[in-house]
């Protein structure tokens, strides 16, 4: 849903997808593409002449698109915390401000990470499938060993990437009395002080010790395939991998093989290496739970993201410093 105020015929804001809540933009007309995903050629036509482009995490913003929009473009406001879809250098060269929506995604994504973790640990998806099938009324309750899941109480949780979302996931583990370790480029006292009292470790050490590995690093050349066949080989047979960060952090082919051979217990994925395509080898496995990149999709937080985008857009149009500038 969008709203415009005090519109000017000279300024318009192009929004590549409908957004929740009220996008309130001052002194400009708002043009929203609706619910469909724009192909690159359609994106150029749709956004041509825009002063600000509001993008989703899947929209590729590069020099070619910026030039097609025109030299009048002042900013790109990403409706996401991650911004690997945007060529920051191309934006800098053209004087285009880039913003994102940090903080607003934290609680929803941390909640989903735990939803995936519990679904994997307790085999919720295959249990749900059985309950919906004729086999349940025909056969009744199965043996006491059927659908037995993995316990989490007192287990080791490894947080890879000690940012806000990783902290949120770690805090939720307190209810299970989990021991927390974390991997980060620098020391994070918020992790190491009470109540988490977490220990900083290397990735290799953490993978060897962890019963649950939850990924929260940004996507970069250094983190692409951070979890590959070698990393998976270090993990325990009872370990669970959760990825709510970015798909290419995990080598999906290697993960599918490890899951198929039961070399790890299971995985929960909200993001994918070639999104929206999911590696075919994952689709038929019962020990992986899949969701379609819905990490922050709780009404309160998605509407908060809309408010943050509005603030960023209005600041850029007014020639002021936006609150969430990244470039």
């Amino acid at each position: 849903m969008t709203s415009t105020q005090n519109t000017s015929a000279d300024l318009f804001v192009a929004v590549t997808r409908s957004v929740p809540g009220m996008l309130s933009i001052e002194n400009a007309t708002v043009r929203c593409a609706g619910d469909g995903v724009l192909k690159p050629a359609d994106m150029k036509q749709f956004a041509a002449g825009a002063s600000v482009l509001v993008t989703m995490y899947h929209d590729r913003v590069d020099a070619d698109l910026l030039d097609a929009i025109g030299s009048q473009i002042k900013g790109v406001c990403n409706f996401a915390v991650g911004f690997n879809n945007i060529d920051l250098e191309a934006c800098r060269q053209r004087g285009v401000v880039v913003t994102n929506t940090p903080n607003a995604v934290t609680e929803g994504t941390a909640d989903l990470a735990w939803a995936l973790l519990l679904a994997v640990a307790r085999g919720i998806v295959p249990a749900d499938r059985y309950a919906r099938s004729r086999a349940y009324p025909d056969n009744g309750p199965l043996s006491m060993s059927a659908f037995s899941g993995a316990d989490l109480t007192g287990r080791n949780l490894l947080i890879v990437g000690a940012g806000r979302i990783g902290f949120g996931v770690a805090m939720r583990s307190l209810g299970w009395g989990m021991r927390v370790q974390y991997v980060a480029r620098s020391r994070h006292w918020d992790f190491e002080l009470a109540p988490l009292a977490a220990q900083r470790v290397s990735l290799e050490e953490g993978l060897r010790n962890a019963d649950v590995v939850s990924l929260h690093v940004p996507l970069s050349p250094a983190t692409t395939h951070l979890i590959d066949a070698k990393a998976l080989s270090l993990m325990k047979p009872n370990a669970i991998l959760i990825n709510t960060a970015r798909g290419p952090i995990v080598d999906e082919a290697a993960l599918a093989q490890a899951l198929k051979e039961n070399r790890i217990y299971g995985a929960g994925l909200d993001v994918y290496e070639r999104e929206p395509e999911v590696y075919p080898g994952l689709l038929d496995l019962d020990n992986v739970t899949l969701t379609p990149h819905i990490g922050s999709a709780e009404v309160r937080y998605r509407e908060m993201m809309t408010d943050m985008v509005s603030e960023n857009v209005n600041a850029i149009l007014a020639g002021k410093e936006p609150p969430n500038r990244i470039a």
Side-chain angles (χ1 to χ4, degrees), residues 27-327:
N27 301 317
T29 300
V30 175
R31 182 187 300 170
C32 184
D35 290 330
V37 177
L38 290 172
K39 296 180 180 179
D42 296 329
M43 176 79 80
K44 292 176 184 179
Q45 183 177 1
F46 168 74
S51 298
V52 177
L53 180 66
V54 176
T55 53
M56 307 300 132
Y57 66 87
H58 50 73
D59 296 321
R60 178 61 185 164
V61 179
D62 54 19
D64 190 39
L65 176 60
L66 293 171
D67 291 342
I69 294 173
S71 60
Q72 79 294 324
I73 186 168
K74 301 174 181 291
V76 175
C77 298
N78 215 32
F79 198 97
V81 62
F83 46 86
N84 55 287
N85 58 307
I86 300 173
D87 186 334
L88 298 183
E89 184 57 32
C91 290
R92 290 190 187 98
Q93 291 175 0
R94 290 159 179 78
V96 176
V97 174
V98 181
T99 67
N100 67 343
T101 57
N103 301 313
V105 305
T106 301
E107 301 299 332
T109 306
D111 284 345
L112 183 71
W114 265 91
L116 287 170
L117 173 52
L118 291 170
V120 174
R122 293 302 306 269
I124 296 299
V125 172
D128 176 87
R129 187 184 306 119
Y130 178 75
R132 294 172 187 270
S133 72
R134 280 303 312 170
Y136 188 34
D138 289 347
N139 301 327
L142 300 181
S143 72
M144 294 302 288
S145 61
F147 296 114
S148 294
D151 67 289
L152 299 173
T153 301
R155 299 295 186 179
N156 297 326
L157 169 64
L158 177 67
I159 300 294
V160 182
R164 300 180 187 93
I165 298 172
F167 184 79
V169 171
M171 286 293 290
R172 283 157 174 76
S173 76
L174 293 175
W176 281 262
M178 298 184 81
R179 296 182 291 271
V180 180
Q181 295 185 324
Y182 74 97
V183 176
R185 290 175 295 181
S186 60
R187 197 168 188 179
H188 286 248
W189 287 107
D190 53 344
F191 275 76
E192 296 191 24
L193 298 177
L196 289 179
Q199 177 188 15
R200 184 183 174 209
V201 295
S202 69
L203 179 63
E204 180 174 334
E205 180 184 357
L207 290 174
R208 292 185 186 278
N209 293 334
D211 298 294
V212 176
V213 178
S214 193
L215 304 177
H216 304 287
V217 292
L219 181 62
S220 70
T223 61
T224 298
H225 282 192
L226 182 70
I227 304 301
D228 56 9
K230 180 180 178 181
L232 290 164
S233 72
L234 299 176
M235 295 173 64
K236 298 178 181 179
N238 70 319
I240 295 172
L241 176 69
I242 303 297
N243 188 11
T244 55
R246 286 293 184 266
I249 295 167
V250 176
D251 181 339
E252 287 184 0
L255 175 61
Q257 193 66 28
L259 290 168
K260 184 178 180 180
E261 297 174 0
N262 294 310
R263 286 189 277 112
I264 65 172
Y265 184 87
L269 308 176
D270 185 48
V271 290
Y272 305 96
E273 193 171 352
R274 295 171 181 85
E275 200 166 302
E277 296 292 330
V278 179
Y279 183 74
L282 294 169
L283 296 176
D284 296 326
L285 298 176
D286 277 343
N287 55 349
V288 60
T289 298
L290 310 174
T291 52
H293 203 143
I294 57 171
S296 62
E298 292 178 358
V299 172
R300 175 184 178 186
Y301 303 114
R302 285 283 172 91
E303 291 183 348
M304 190 182 298
M305 294 169 74
T306 299
D307 292 341
M308 295 175 77
V309 167
S310 297
E311 293 173 2
N312 288 326
V313 171
N314 287 327
I316 291 170
L317 290 174
K320 299 178 180 179
E321 182 67 14
N324 305 117
R325 180 171 183 159
I326 54 177

